[in-house]
Amino acid sequence: RTLIDSAPSGILIADGEGVIVHANRVVEEMFGYPRRGLDGMSVEVLIPDGAREPHAGHVLDFMEEPRQRIMGAGRVLPGRHCDGHVFPVSIGLAPLPGESGPLVAATLTDMTESRRVEDELTRANAELEARIADLQELGREAELISEMGEMLQVSQGSEEAHRAIQLHASRLFPCGVGAVGLVNESRNLVENAVAWGGGSIGEAVYHPGDCWA
């Protein structure tokens, strides 16, 4: 017990019936129990109600083939603090000989901080990927605009220029509907010269005050 109590990791010893024979200070503090407060209690007090059945299955598998292993095949399992809150725990199991029958030694690690860091890294990675995607889209749009400008500069007439605008506008706004209108010399009418998209854009000729762009 002296060796277990001085260990820096959480160590718990239970018998084949799941009764806690001994738990060191790290385990007691991890789950919020006083010194020796877990001795003689069922390990189920450390498990949330909804996880007790799967836990029983893990223990049964272990007792049928006792060997050193990570409980739950390496998954982080839920643990229940004495105040009722649930937190993630990594549990390793190993068989131990006992005077009254085989014992199970469990090493427990509170994974709360690791989970928090993992979640932060996941969020940061998602934000980075989103920003990269935005930059790639901006680069694609800038390339299309530059290409359209070059085509407009070498266009031989308005018809050719309009085709260049239509081609690039449909690629810049693939999900949208729009048009480019030209204001007449009197500046009292606008006539759509180029349109793209499959939907309706309203009247082809309209008053400048009716333009929503």
Side-chain angles (χ1 to χ4, degrees):
R1 290 197 174 194
T2 302
L3 181 62
I4 293 174
D5 288 339
S6 61
S9 302
I11 300 177
L12 178 151
I13 308 297
D15 64 18
E17 301 299 319
V19 176
I20 298 171
V21 176
H22 183 65
N24 69 358
R25 172 79 71 179
V26 177
V27 172
E28 292 167 342
E29 292 179 352
M30 187 185 304
F31 288 88
Y33 286 85
R35 192 68 178 135
R36 308 299 183 197
L38 285 170
D39 292 3
M41 300 182 70
S42 170
V43 294
E44 290 196 348
V45 301
L46 306 180
I47 306 165
D49 293 342
R52 288 181 180 177
E53 186 174 342
H55 171 267
H58 294 317
V59 173
L60 181 61
D61 290 342
F62 177 81
M63 297 309 293
E64 289 179 350
E65 189 182 353
R67 58 182 174 81
Q68 186 170 339
R69 66 175 74 177
I70 301 298
M71 190 172 187
R75 292 184 292 108
V76 173
L77 303 174
R80 186 177 68 180
H81 193 273
C82 70
D83 65 9
H85 83 265
V86 176
F87 62 100
V89 183
S90 176
I91 305 174
L93 301 178
L96 283 179
E99 294 181 359
S100 303
L103 300 174
V104 179
T107 56
L108 298 91
T109 304
D110 184 348
M111 301 298 291
T112 301
E113 182 63 16
S114 297
R115 267 295 171 84
R116 184 189 66 79
V117 172
E118 182 181 332
D119 290 344
E120 286 184 358
L121 288 174
T122 299
R123 284 195 297 271
N125 187 60
E127 290 177 2
L128 179 60
E129 289 180 350
R131 291 182 180 180
I132 291 173
D134 289 342
L135 290 173
Q136 290 174 335
E137 179 61 19
L138 287 173
R140 185 189 73 85
E141 292 175 355
E143 184 177 343
L144 284 172
I145 292 171
S146 176
E147 184 181 296
M148 180 175 66
E150 292 174 0
M151 292 184 67
L152 290 174
Q153 287 180 352
V154 298
S155 296
Q156 298 300 312
S158 60
E159 187 174 331
E160 188 174 339
H162 293 168
R163 283 200 300 268
I165 294 173
Q166 184 179 44
L167 171 65
H168 289 81
S170 62
R171 293 167 65 187
L172 282 167
F173 311 105
C175 299
V177 177
V180 173
L182 299 178
V183 182
N184 66 0
E185 292 182 2
S186 301
R187 306 187 69 82
N188 61 352
L189 287 177
V190 178
E191 181 177 0
N192 289 336
V194 179
W196 63 88
S200 173
I201 57 172
E203 298 293 333
V205 180
Y206 47 91
H207 188 275
D210 295 332
C211 180
W212 49 266

